[in-house]
Amino acid sequence: MRAVRYHEYGGVETLVVEQVPDPHPGPGEIRIRVAAAGVNPVDWKVRSGAVREVFPVDLPAIPGRDAVGVVDETGEGVRGVRIGDRVFGLGGVTGATAELAVLSAWAPAPTRWTDEEAAGAGLASVTAMGGLKALGPLRGRTLLVEGAAGGVGSAAVEIAVAQGATVIGTASERNHEFLTSLGAVPTTYGSGLAERLATLAPGGVDIVLDTAASGSLADLIAIVGDPARVSTIADHTNAQRLGVRLANAENDSTLLAEAGELGRRGRYTPRIERTYPIERIAEAHAYAERGHTRGKIVVRT
């Protein structure tokens, strides 16, 4: 099969498209013929070697953790999915940006989602849902999402709105119209946030989800008055120090199915900022590394 690989840790120049052996699913896994794969911050962090102590990989490695495609092979013990089914889901820390990918968690892809949208749903939805579930029931509560315009943040906004929360989202001003389209009340981040929130939410903010890891956790705790009412999916160091709930992305088929059901009902549509062909994978990674994305980046295979 054709796949993207890097043979050593480094910059985007290490990424090459080449022929590699086909992977095969193990017990409890499936293989899909990939239509599109997501590009996530973890991809370039792993590729650069920045997180090799946490996520060591065997080189050469294929970047990518989530993808959408049609099932073409199933492993031992797999039930509830058939050859030819269109699914989206997650594999290991690497392996998705290829013509064939092995998934360990998956769910049916809603027909209303394009391949690009479904490719951007896997990691973003389970990460957002993990962070939201750590905060308890959402209906009737006011939620602040710090970093609401990115891939995980935008997913969290739509999912929380669908579950009955009033959502305020922080982002740069250029993304405020985007947040409004998702159902959030937008505001800027940084200095003066507490004062802005006092105007936007006179009754107070109940809970906070941090997706930005911008160093604002102490301020976010002060806004709600209790570290147990704040969760983060990104700021591991400060979460432990301050007693904030930390949510890690998990390969959870149940969460993927919940996201897919919201998609089928038209309550969650993954937002795609840019799509690249596989031959331009270096550009996709370079754009992701610059940050400040509005939604997700995906690669067509």
Side-chain angles (χ1 to χ4, degrees):
M1 69 170 182
R2 195 168 65 140
V4 175
R5 289 206 297 188
Y6 50 96
H7 292 252
E8 60 184 357
Y9 291 122
V12 297
E13 71 280 356
T14 63
L15 296 166
V16 294
V17 180
E18 58 191 7
Q19 290 293 322
V20 305
D22 293 354
H24 296 282
E29 298 177 333
I30 64 172
R31 188 178 76 179
I32 61 171
R33 188 160 293 279
V34 177
V39 176
N40 299 287
V42 69
D43 299 341
W44 62 261
K45 291 176 182 177
V46 170
R47 185 213 70 229
S48 71
V51 293
R52 72 178 76 183
E53 299 299 323
V54 181
F55 296 121
V57 297
D58 294 326
L59 298 174
I62 298 170
R65 185 168 173 185
D66 53 358
V68 62
V70 173
V71 179
D72 78 340
E73 190 175 320
T74 60
E76 180 182 351
V78 170
R79 302 286 184 271
V81 68
R82 297 176 296 179
I83 304 300
D85 286 353
R86 179 175 176 259
V87 302
F88 73 107
L90 298 157
V93 175
T94 58
T97 315
E99 290 179 328
L100 299 169
V102 171
L103 304 182
S104 58
W106 63 88
T111 55
R112 67 167 63 222
W113 284 357
T114 65
D115 285 338
E116 289 85 356
E117 289 166 346
L123 190 58
S125 65
V126 299
T127 304
M129 285 183 161
L132 292 171
K133 286 180 181 294
L135 297 170
L138 299 179
R139 185 165 300 280
R141 304 173 84 186
T142 298
L143 165 72
L144 172 67
V145 178
E146 177 85 321
V152 175
S154 59
V157 168
E158 275 203 287
I159 292 167
V161 168
Q163 294 180 4
T166 297
V167 180
I168 300 172
T170 67
S172 58
E173 289 188 12
R174 69 183 181 87
N175 287 325
H176 283 192
E177 185 176 344
F178 173 60
L179 292 190
T180 300
S181 74
L182 299 178
V185 176
T187 190
T188 52
Y189 44 77
S191 178
L193 177 59
E195 290 74 18
R196 293 191 294 277
L197 291 173
T199 300
L200 295 173
V205 172
D206 299 306
I207 46 180
V208 179
L209 172 62
D210 166 47
T211 74
S214 60
S216 63
L217 277 187
D219 293 334
L220 299 177
I221 293 169
I223 286 168
V224 295
D226 183 352
R229 292 163 61 188
V230 179
S231 71
T232 182
I233 57 92
D235 196 343
H236 293 235
T237 301
N238 288 316
Q240 294 176 344
R241 180 174 61 85
L242 297 171
V244 165
R245 298 173 183 269
L246 179 62
N248 292 311
E250 297 181 2
N251 285 21
D252 188 327
S253 293
T254 300
L255 293 181
L256 291 170
E258 288 183 31
E261 178 57 29
L262 288 174
R264 275 183 285 280
R265 289 164 42 201
R267 303 301 303 276
Y268 166 48
T269 302
R271 306 300 168 133
I272 308 304
E273 180 178 5
R274 293 198 177 193
T275 302
Y276 295 85
I278 193 172
E279 293 80 8
R280 293 172 58 194
I281 184 65
E283 292 178 53
H285 269 230
Y287 188 79
E289 284 192 56
R290 289 196 291 272
H292 307 294
T293 57
R294 179 187 296 184
K296 292 297 302 258
I297 302 166
V298 299
V299 172
R300 297 279 315 193
T301 58

